Amino acid sequence: MTLTVLFAAKSESWSVYEAALTAAFSEAELNADLVLEAEPDTVDYIIYAPDSELQDFTLYTSCKAVLNLWAGVENVVGNESLTQPLARMVDPGMTAGMVEYVTAHVMRHHLDLDRYIKLTEPLWEPKMPKLAEDRVVTILGLGALGGACATTLASLGFQVRGWSRSQKSIDGVATFSAGPGLAEALPGTEILVLLTPLTDDTENIIDANALSLLAEGAVIINPGRGPLIDDDALLNALDDCQISHATLDVFREEPLPPNHPFWNDPRVTVTPHVASFTRPKTASRQIAANIQRSENGEPLIGLVDREAGY
């Protein structure tokens, strides 16, 4: 039996993924036709990007699963026509890229490298940084991305705390969970990394109250989702010196508008949503593995919990 796999994403993605998916299907020995168009009732699987033109899944009555190309599913999980199993992207390449981005910026702020990189005049003024063992780093979100970052930072000697909706256990990491756990995880945090999914419960999770719990002069790194932060509260905390710097990769509106105050604030580093990318080769292998698992009656990798929202 030949499976029909519909690729539903913007046209520029097809040129990137066609060869990688075809190779991954062959490698996994999947007998599958990868197509851009098909009669809806003949489609077995949909490889999907939420910005695709496909928004109504009602006619895809034979579809066994929708395989998201993005790690985030907040733009699709609420689609009431999508009743098929939905899997978010869990890509080893994406995870590796996120670990590198987070580790780089944690080390940048830990070692206070901006002090030297951004010098505008000759100034020989050495300052001894803390050792990692004396620095508290807290990560909100301990899924595939956050858990990998927590493990890496703990291996470097940092005092790592992690917070997640459900209780997790990671070697070398003090873990906290929803409810009072956030108020327990934040106090004394010197570097805060945001990698929790965006849900109704996590939107504006970093508000004025949360910011006040951090160590004075703390740094925030957000490669997760823009709406996790109350922007006005962050700007106020920067003005009050409660926060010394924010490195932001994601925003409520993208591209970040040219007149947004983040652009010209020396206490804010803006990167244009580059913390991590879905890597076609490794992502295609994950998609092929999920189709294979589905055909074997096994649970999907990254299966979305509709009630939780991720």
Side-chain angles (χ1 to χ4, degrees), residues 46 48 53-61 63 66 76-85 306:
I46 299 175
Y48 186 68
E53 292 182 3
L54 173 56
Q55 297 297 320
D56 186 355
F57 294 83
T58 307
L59 298 178
Y60 293 87
T61 53
C63 181
V66 175
V76 64
V77 73
N79 186 331
E80 295 183 358
S81 74
L82 201 169
T83 58
Q84 299 88 343
R306 304 300 177 92

Side-chain angles (χ1 to χ4, degrees), residues 31-255:
N31 186 13
D33 285 339
L34 181 66
V35 299
L36 289 172
E37 294 181 355
E39 291 298 322
D41 61 356
T42 68
V43 171
D44 295 291
Y45 295 93
I46 299 175
I47 299 170
Y48 186 68
D51 62 356
S52 163
E53 292 182 3
L54 173 56
Q55 297 297 320
D56 186 355
F57 294 83
T58 307
L59 298 178
Y60 293 87
T61 53
S62 300
C63 181
K64 303 170 189 177
V66 175
L67 309 172
N68 208 45
L69 279 172
W70 301 357
V73 294
E74 65 270 12
N75 293 325
V76 64
V77 73
N79 186 331
E80 295 183 358
S81 74
L82 201 169
T83 58
Q84 299 88 343
L86 171 66
R88 66 183 180 276
M89 176 55 64
V90 181
D91 170 25
M94 176 187 292
T95 300
M98 183 62 76
V99 168
E100 291 175 7
Y101 180 95
V102 168
T103 302
H105 285 285
V106 166
M107 292 302 297
R108 164 196 167 201
H109 293 299
H110 166 60
L111 296 172
D112 196 15
L113 294 180
D114 287 3
R115 176 184 178 87
Y116 310 110
I117 294 170
K118 295 184 177 181
L119 281 178
T120 57
E121 59 184 35
L123 180 64
W124 191 273
E125 193 176 89
K127 179 184 177 184
M128 182 174 64
K130 288 184 177 184
L131 292 175
E133 65 187 25
D134 299 319
R135 181 83 67 188
V136 178
V137 180
T138 299
I139 299 177
L140 302 192
L142 293 176
L145 300 178
C149 291
T151 297
T152 298
L153 293 173
S155 75
L156 293 173
F158 288 100
Q159 295 181 45
V160 181
R161 301 173 185 170
W163 176 91
S164 54
R165 178 176 175 269
S166 57
Q167 186 63 40
K168 301 288 179 67
S169 178
I170 299 175
D171 288 345
V173 179
T175 56
F176 303 83
S177 58
L182 186 62
E184 296 171 355
L186 292 181
T189 295
E190 297 167 273
I191 301 177
L192 178 65
V193 181
L194 306 181
L195 282 170
T196 191
L198 177 61
T199 67
D200 290 343
D201 292 332
T202 61
E203 184 170 358
N204 292 323
I205 192 170
I206 301 304
D207 56 11
N209 179 64
L211 292 165
S212 72
L213 297 176
L214 304 178
E216 185 176 351
V219 168
I220 292 178
I221 301 171
N222 185 14
R225 291 290 181 266
L228 297 175
I229 298 178
D230 180 330
D231 290 353
D232 291 335
L234 175 57
L235 290 167
N236 289 336
L238 287 164
D239 289 339
D240 294 340
C241 299
Q242 173 63 14
I243 303 300
S244 63
H245 200 95
T247 293
L248 309 176
D249 186 61
V250 288
F251 307 91
R252 291 177 180 273
E253 182 181 349
E254 295 186 3

